């Protein structure tokens, strides 16, 4: 099961990389062969093997030798970590956890590059979480209170929190419950504070928008490592 989980997670992550690059460009995620962004050369199957191909090609296109976007490799590595972590926990359904982490990784890429999250990307995660989420009345009230607080924060501080961040936190608190979600938020905000402290453009950093989802993703992976 362990090997299957890892293979499932890495392949899903590889597809997630395609989604992250194509959805913002309004390209089809089903049709169209994978190709190099520079020379447009169509890739052979052995040049699309997750993780392995990137390492064998030393991160460069086999034809024009231009660098392959490192986000593809990073999301595949995230898939590997997600597969390992999902197999070593009994908290939630491992497959839904993998789908959720990969969804978060896809949103982290779009948030990083475009400061935007496309709701359609969240849909597979939303549907699979609805299928497995078990809820007590207490969980329900906690979820409602937490998300209403976020909603108030969003309307009072519109520039500070994005609507996509809200959607992701609503999903996370539905799936992983409030305690883990709050721990993830604490780790993520601590990482952002550390980033600002060590940033050379410290004063500027406080004024520019910081994408939250990449930090939520790292924080979740860190938190799951301690389950
Ligand atoms: Zn090329």
């Amino acid at each position: 099961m362990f090997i299957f989980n890892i293979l499932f997670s890495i392949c899903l992550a590889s597809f997630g990389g395609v989604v992250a690059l194509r959805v913002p460009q309004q390209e089809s995620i089903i049709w169209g062969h994978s190709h190099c962004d520079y020379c447009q050369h169509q890739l052979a199957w052995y040049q699309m093997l997750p993780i392995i191909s990137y390492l064998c090609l030393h991160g460069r296109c086999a034809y024009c030798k231009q660098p392959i976007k490192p986000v593809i490799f990073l999301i595949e590595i995230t898939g590997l970590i997600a597969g390992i972590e999902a197999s070593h926990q009994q908290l939630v359904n491992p497959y839904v956890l993998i789908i959720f982490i990969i969804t978060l990784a896809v949103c982290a890429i779009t948030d990083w590059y475009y400061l935007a999250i496309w709701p359609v990307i969240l849909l597979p995660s939303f549907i699979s979480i609805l299928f497995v989420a078990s809820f007590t009345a207490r969980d329900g009230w906690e979820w409602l209170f937490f998300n209403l607080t976020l909603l108030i924060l969003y309307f009072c501080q519109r520039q500070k929190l994005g609507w996509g961040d809200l959607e992701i936190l609503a999903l996370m608190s539905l799936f992983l419950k409030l305690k883990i979600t709050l721990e993830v938020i604490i780790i993520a905000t601590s990482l952002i504070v550390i980033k600002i402290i060590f940033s050379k453009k410290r004063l500027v950093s406080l004024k520019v928008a910081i994408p939250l989802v990449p930090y939520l993703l790292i924080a979740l992976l860190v938190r799951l490592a301690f389950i």
Side-chain angles (χ1 to χ4, degrees):
M1 260 345 234
F2 179 66
I3 300 293
F4 177 78
N5 287 355
I6 289 184
L7 287 177
F8 169 69
S9 189
I10 293 175
C11 291
L12 193 66
S14 189
F15 177 66
V18 174
V19 172
L21 296 178
R22 289 191 184 179
V23 167
Q25 305 294 330
Q26 296 184 319
E27 291 177 26
S28 167
I29 54 167
I30 299 165
W31 310 113
H33 288 284
S34 293
H35 55 78
C36 166
D37 287 334
Y38 298 97
C39 64
Q40 306 299 319
H41 207 293
Q42 203 170 303
L43 303 180
W45 65 268
Y46 55 84
Q47 290 162 341
M48 293 190 288
L49 295 174
I51 301 175
I52 300 164
S53 294
Y54 187 91
L55 292 175
C56 291
L57 293 166
H58 302 288
R60 290 183 178 275
C61 168
Y63 306 100
C64 66
K65 306 293 176 201
Q66 288 289 331
I68 300 168
K69 286 193 173 87
V71 287
I72 297 290
F73 182 64
L74 282 178
I75 196 170
E76 288 167 357
I77 291 291
T78 304
L80 175 67
I81 298 170
I84 296 170
E85 290 192 336
S87 307
H88 282 95
Q89 55 82 41
Q90 271 92 43
L91 206 68
V92 286
N93 182 302
Y95 301 109
V96 180
L97 181 58
I98 289 170
I99 293 170
F100 181 67
I101 295 174
I102 304 304
T103 303
L104 206 58
V106 174
C107 294
I109 295 173
T110 64
D111 199 20
W112 185 267
Y113 283 111
Y114 305 97
L115 282 172
I117 289 151
W118 278 258
V120 67
I121 295 173
L122 297 173
L123 206 60
S125 223
F126 177 67
I127 294 169
S128 47
I129 287 172
L130 277 189
F131 266 107
V132 297
S134 59
F135 243 55
T136 62
R138 187 199 155 107
D139 290 335
W141 283 113
E142 281 182 352
W143 184 86
L144 205 64
F145 178 73
F146 170 68
N147 285 284
L148 275 177
T149 311
L150 286 182
L151 210 58
I152 293 167
L153 258 175
Y154 171 78
F155 283 113
C156 294
Q157 306 256 325
R158 204 170 261 253
Q159 301 300 317
K160 302 275 171 17
L161 201 63
W163 184 253
D165 301 329
L166 235 66
E167 290 174 334
I168 284 176
L169 289 171
L171 260 187
M172 193 185 287
S173 52
L174 184 70
F175 183 41
L176 299 172
K177 306 291 178 289
L178 191 61
K179 183 175 174 283
I180 292 183
T181 306
L182 288 176
E183 287 164 355
V184 168
I185 292 174
I186 292 168
I187 300 169
T189 43
S190 306
L191 289 172
I192 292 173
V193 170
I194 292 168
K195 184 200 181 285
I196 292 173
I197 291 171
F198 286 97
S199 171
K200 283 179 187 145
K201 300 177 226 164
R202 188 153 65 235
L203 292 172
V204 180
S205 300
L206 292 173
K207 286 176 191 158
V208 299
I210 297 171
L212 178 66
V213 188
Y215 295 94
L216 286 177
L217 170 67
I218 298 169
L220 177 61
L221 294 177
V222 170
R223 178 61 191 86
L224 289 176
F226 293 100
I227 279 181

